[in-house]
Amino acid sequence: MTVTPNISISNGNLVVHGKTILKGVPDNIILTPGSGVGLVAGAFIGATASDSKSLHVFPMGILEGLRFMCCFRFKLWWMTQRMGRCGRDVPLETQFMLVESKDDVEGSEKDDAPTIYTVFLPLLEGQFRAVLQGNEKNELEICLESGDNSVETNQGLYLVYMHAGTNPFEVINQAVKAVEKHMQTFLNRERKKLPSFVDWFGWCTWDAFYTDVTAEGVEEGLKSLSEGGTPPRFLIIDDGWQQIGNEVKDNANCVVQEGAQFANRLTGIKENEKFQKNGLNNNQVPGLKLVVDEAKQHHNVKFVYVWHALAGYWGGVKPAAAGMEHYDSALAYPVQSPGVMGNQPDIVMDSLAVHGLGLVHPKKVFNFYNELHAYLATCGVDGVKVDVQNIIETLGAGHGGRVSLTRSYHQALEASVARNFPDNGCIACMCHNTDGLYSAKQTAVVRASDDFYPRDPASHTIHISSVAYNTLFLGEFMQPDWDMFHSLHPAADYHAAARAVGGCPIYVSDKPGNHNFELLRKLVLPDGSVLRAQLPGRPTRDCLFADPARDGASLLKVWNVNKCSGVVGVFNCQGAGWCKVVKKIRIHDASPGTLSGSVSAADVDSIPQVAGADWNGEVVVYSFRSGEVTRLPKGASLPVTLELLEYELFHFCPLKEIKNNISFAPIGLLDMFNTGGAVDQFEVHLASPQPELFDGEISSGLNTPLSENRSPTATIALKVRGCGRLGVYSSQRPLQCTIDDKQAEFHYDAATGLLILNLPVPQREMYRWHVEIQV
C-alpha cells in the first residue's frame, strides 16, 4: 500500500489535502516529507541557488484567494498580526503563518467539506535564518540570511516546515513539536519548568518610576498595594538599578540626539547609589540585599526579579571598565536585516548605530552572566527579566552570523539562570525573533507583545489583539506574559479582563497611591495569589482569519480553560493597528462603532476534555459583567454587543446530569474576573448505587421542582480557592450545604438555578475550601 503524503508539489502547484495553496512553484523549490509520526501531516520546504551569498530571496509560488493570518515583526523587537488573502499581503519578517483552505465540492453542502489549516514555520538551518515575505506578484518568498557577509550558502533543504490538519490549535502544536524533534535546539513549552511567580500577583517598577526607580520607591510601592488588600507577592525591579556610564558627550555635530541614552553602557555588575539605602552601606551589606530583604521580610514578597539587557545594558558593557576587563567587551556597530529596515525604524538602533554597543565576547559571556547572577542571588534575587534580546541578531558580523551569536548568548544565559536561580527565574523580553525562540531550551516565560503604554491612546486595543494572536505562535515555546498595566487608567478594566483569560502572569506598574483596589480585588485574592487560567489564551477558531483590529466588523474572542470550565473573553479592539504607510501603530478609525457577535461552548476548543466523556453538550453560562446565568442547549449561542474598549467574560460550565431531573454545574467566584479559576475539583457522590437514568433527551428549561423533604439523591463535593460569593448551578434547590463540614447558609434562585454561598477569607495561603452540596 502506498501512503500518499497530504503535502506535495504536483504540476507546479503546492497541494495540501487536495487543495492548491501555492501556484507556479519554481523548479528550485524542494519538498522533503517530514519523518516519523508526522510523515503524512508535515513537510519541509527547501531551495537551491546558482551562487553562494549571505542573503537570498527565494520565491516559493503564488498565493491567491486564501485567507491567512500571520505574525510578523513590525519592528526589531516585537511581532503583531496581519490578515490577508494573497501574497502581497504577507509582510516582511513574517515568522509564523496559518492558511485556511476548504474544498468547495460542487453540489455539496458548504459545511460538509472540512476546513484544512496549514501552518508555515520558517526555521533556522545551520548558520542561516529563514523568514517569509510577499511581493507585488503575489508570490510568497523565503528570505534567507546569515547576518555576516562572510557566511554564505547556495541552498537550504529545511528552511520552512509545513503542517496541516483540521484543528488549527492541534496543527500548530504538532508542527512545533515536529520542528523540535528535527532541530533539537529548543524545547516546547510543555517540557519546560514554569517559574512559580506566575501564580502570584506582582508589581513592576517600570511605569511607576521608569529609570528613576529608587530603594525608597520600591518600599513605597509595595506598602501602597498591600495596604489596599492586594499584596504583591512578586516584584520586578526594572531598568534603573544598575551602574551605568553616560557615553554620549554633548556634541553639536552628533546627528543622533534623541535616544542617546540608549547608548549608555554598564560599568559594574552591582547596584547603583540609588539602591544604597540613605547613602549608607550599612557595614558592607549590599544595598540591593537590604531592598530585597525588606521586601521579603516586611511585605511578604515571595519572588524578586531584576531587569538587565541581554548585552548587559542598552549600550552593552563598557569596554575595559574597571573590574570588568575580563569580559573582553569591544565596540560593535549593529547592522539590521533588510526586512526589519523595511518595517518600523527604531530610536534605539539609530542611537547604537552611531555610538556602538559594548559587546561582551561570546566566549566570555557565560562568565559575565554567571558573575552578575551569582551576585544577584547572594542579594536574595530569585530571577531576571532579560530585555533588549534581539539586539544580538544585528551584531553577528565576525561571529559566524546572527544565529551563531544569538545561540551562544542564549546558551550562556540559560546555563547561568540554571546555576543561580533554581526556580528557572527568567522572563524573556524584546525577543520576538526565531533566532532566539528556536534556541531556547529552558526559558519558559516570554513577553507577548510591545509594551503597555499608559499615555498612548492608540496602543490599548492593538495591545490586546496582538498578545492574543502572537500567543498562537509564542505559546508553543513559552508561557506568554501579556505585560503589566495600570489599575487606575481609563482602559484598566479592559486590560485586566484580558489578563484574566490570558493564562499569563498578572502584575501592575501602578505609581504608589494610584490604585483601583475595587478592580484589583477582581484579580487578586487576599493572600496575594491569582486565579490563573490553565493555558495560553488564544483567539477562537472563528476569529483566526478575521481582523478585529481593522475590519470594522469583528469582535476579538479569546478562549481558555480552567480545571472544571471554559472561559471566553470578548473584546472590541477596533480602530488602531500597525500602519505600513507611516510605519507605526496609529489610530485609523477614531470612532469605530458598536459591534455584535455571538459566543458558544464550541468557542472553547478543549471544553470536551474538561467536561469528560459523559457530557451531553449542555452548558451553564455565567456572564461576568451582566451577572446573568443562562442554561444553554448543545449547539446554542449567546449574543454579545460591545462598544470600543468594552469587554465581556463568558464562563462556560459543562452541565452534569446527576439523575433525570437533577443537573448541576460549578461556576466559581462570581466577583472574580476568572470566575471558574476558583474551582479546583468537582465530584458527584450518589447516595446509593443506582443506574444512570439519563434517557438522551436534553431538556430546554429547568426541571420540575422536587420536594424539599426528599431523601438526598447525591452529594456534590467541590474544592474551591478564594473567598466571597461562590456560585453554582443546580436544577433543584439543595437540601443543605456545608463549607469545611460546617453547615452554611445559601441563597437559591429557582428561576435561574443559581445557588450562592459565601466563602470566608481563608487563614492559609492557597487554601482550598471543601464545599459539599446535597441535592
Side-chain angles (χ1 to χ4, degrees), residues 251-270:
N251 182 348
N253 301 319
C254 183
V255 181
V256 178
Q257 288 298 331
E258 191 188 7
Q261 72 273 20
F262 293 117
N264 291 346
R265 300 180 195 129
L266 200 65
T267 57
I269 60 171
K270 297 185 177 180

Side-chain angles (χ1 to χ4, degrees), residues 426-627:
C426 186
I427 302 168
C429 193
M430 295 176 79
C431 59
H432 289 184
N433 66 4
T434 44
D435 314 53
L437 284 175
Y438 290 125
S439 301
K441 290 192 168 182
Q442 181 181 300
T443 307
V445 180
V446 58
R447 268 280 307 283
S449 79
D450 201 349
D451 293 9
F452 164 75
Y453 291 110
R455 291 184 290 278
D456 181 2
S459 71
H460 301 295
T461 51
I462 189 64
H463 184 105
I464 303 308
S465 59
S466 289
V467 289
Y469 286 98
N470 287 346
T471 292
L472 282 167
F473 180 43
L474 295 173
E476 300 300 331
F477 299 85
M478 304 176 198
Q479 177 63 57
D481 166 0
W482 290 14
D483 202 15
M484 61 193 105
F485 67 102
H486 276 171
S487 71
L488 196 61
H489 188 277
D493 276 48
Y494 188 75
H495 279 281
R499 306 311 189 273
V501 293
C504 50
I506 295 175
Y507 59 112
V508 294
S509 54
D510 294 353
K511 286 186 194 303
N514 288 263
H515 316 289
N516 179 344
F517 288 113
E518 186 187 348
L519 173 71
L520 289 174
R521 282 191 281 269
K522 297 175 189 176
L523 287 170
V524 189
L525 296 173
D527 65 358
S529 66
V530 295
L531 301 176
R532 194 171 63 83
Q534 299 280 294
L535 298 171
R538 289 162 287 178
T540 56
R541 197 181 294 211
D542 59 349
C543 282
L544 289 174
F545 306 102
D547 191 349
R550 291 178 187 79
D551 67 10
S554 306
L555 293 168
L556 171 67
K557 299 191 292 183
V558 177
W559 71 274
N560 212 321
V561 293
N562 293 301
K563 288 180 181 172
C564 301
S565 61
V567 58
V568 176
V570 188
F571 304 86
N572 186 332
C573 296
Q574 293 289 343
W578 189 79
C579 175
K580 62 185 178 184
V581 179
V582 298
K583 298 192 184 301
K584 65 177 185 179
I585 303 261
R586 72 175 185 91
I587 293 171
H588 53 257
D589 183 353
S591 52
T594 301
L595 297 178
S596 295
S598 65
V599 290
S600 71
D603 287 330
V604 181
D605 193 73
S606 50
I607 201 165
Q609 292 91 299
V610 172
D614 60 347
W615 181 48
N616 68 13
E618 217 177 337
V619 290
V620 169
V621 188
Y622 172 62
S623 308
F624 175 77
R625 283 183 64 202
S626 73

Side-chain angles (χ1 to χ4, degrees), residues 5 67 70 101 119 155 159 220 257 263 279 320 357 483 502 531 535 551 557 563 579 699 702 704 721 733 761:
R67 293 201 301 171
C70 68
S101 57
V119 66
Q155 67 165 25
L159 302 183
E220 210 184 326
Q257 288 298 331
L357 176 143
D483 202 15
L531 301 176
L535 298 171
D551 67 10
K557 299 191 292 183
K563 288 180 181 172
C579 175
S699 59
L702 298 174
T704 310
R721 277 182 52 216
R733 182 181 179 85
V761 176

Side-chain angles (χ1 to χ4, degrees), residues 71 73 154 165 182 226 253 260 265 271 332 622 707 709 753:
C71 297
R73 283 200 296 171
N154 61 359
H182 163 74
S226 296
N253 301 319
R265 300 180 195 129
E271 69 276 18
Y622 172 62
S707 163
N709 298 321

Side-chain angles (χ1 to χ4, degrees), residues 131-443:
V131 76
L132 299 174
Q133 59 192 39
N135 66 26
E136 286 304 306
K137 296 187 240 173
N138 279 338
E139 290 174 318
L140 184 62
E141 298 175 331
I142 303 170
C143 178
L144 183 69
E145 61 186 314
S146 70
D148 185 337
N149 291 337
S150 65
V151 177
E152 300 184 334
T153 191
N154 61 359
Q155 67 165 25
L157 295 178
Y158 301 95
L159 302 183
V160 178
Y161 180 68
M162 294 175 61
H163 202 89
T166 55
N167 180 311
F169 307 107
E170 288 176 9
V171 165
I172 296 165
N173 180 264
Q174 291 163 3
V176 170
K177 286 176 176 172
V179 169
E180 174 188 13
K181 186 178 173 187
H182 163 74
M183 292 180 68
Q184 300 195 357
T185 57
F186 72 97
L187 297 183
N188 74 73
R189 175 181 55 82
E190 295 161 31
R191 296 179 63 192
K192 292 175 174 174
K193 174 183 168 57
L194 195 57
S196 310
F197 80 83
V198 297
D199 290 312
W200 298 89
F201 176 56
W203 177 62
C204 176
T205 61
W206 182 241
D207 287 311
F209 298 109
Y210 299 110
T211 53
D212 294 329
V213 62
T214 62
E216 293 72 26
V218 171
E219 159 80 5
E220 210 184 326
L222 294 173
K223 187 164 175 272
S224 183
L225 279 164
S226 296
E227 285 173 350
T230 56
R233 299 292 182 238
F234 164 55
L235 165 67
I236 301 177
I237 301 174
D238 214 292
D239 186 5
W241 69 272
Q242 292 166 292
Q243 298 176 17
I244 56 169
N246 187 344
E247 303 305 316
V248 185
K249 307 287 182 257
D250 289 333
N251 182 348
N253 301 319
C254 183
V255 181
V256 178
Q257 288 298 331
E258 191 188 7
Q261 72 273 20
F262 293 117
N264 291 346
R265 300 180 195 129
L266 200 65
T267 57
I269 60 171
K270 297 185 177 180
E271 69 276 18
N272 60 38
E273 68 285 347
K274 291 185 294 174
F275 281 80
Q276 298 298 344
K277 286 282 246 187
N278 304 318
L280 300 174
N281 209 345
N282 194 13
N283 299 325
Q284 304 309 304
V285 175
L288 183 60
K289 180 168 171 46
L290 293 174
V291 172
V292 174
D293 287 350
E294 174 97 7
K296 291 185 174 183
Q297 290 162 19
H298 294 157
H299 298 289
N300 297 315
V301 170
K302 293 175 179 293
F303 309 99
V304 177
Y305 279 43
V306 302
W307 179 98
H308 71 78
L310 191 59
Y313 198 68
W314 294 89
V317 172
K318 184 176 182 178
M324 301 178 84
E325 301 89 347
H326 56 298
Y327 301 141
D328 287 356
S329 173
L331 275 191
Y333 293 84
V335 178
Q336 297 181 75
S337 69
V340 170
M341 293 294 282
N343 287 335
Q344 183 168 326
D346 192 89
I347 191 172
V348 178
M349 301 312 296
D350 293 345
S351 176
L352 292 175
V354 173
H355 302 293
L357 176 143
L359 184 69
V360 172
H361 194 281
K363 286 193 166 53
K364 301 295 177 70
V365 75
F366 170 75
N367 292 341
F368 168 61
Y369 291 143
N370 186 47
E371 287 169 28
L372 170 61
H373 295 163
Y375 173 72
L376 293 174
T378 64
C379 293
V381 170
D382 302 283
V384 282
K385 172 182 171 181
V386 184
D387 210 350
V388 206
Q389 294 204 8
N390 288 358
I391 192 70
I392 301 301
E393 76 174 54
T394 68
L395 302 165
H399 295 286
R402 55 186 290 168
V403 173
S404 301
L405 187 64
T406 298
R407 189 159 290 157
S408 60
Y409 262 67
H410 274 274
Q411 286 171 347
L413 175 69
E414 293 193 332
S416 176
V417 167
R419 176 183 285 197
N420 295 291
F421 304 125
D423 194 38
N424 195 21
C426 186
I427 302 168
C429 193
M430 295 176 79
C431 59
H432 289 184
N433 66 4
T434 44
D435 314 53
L437 284 175
Y438 290 125
S439 301
K441 290 192 168 182
Q442 181 181 300
T443 307

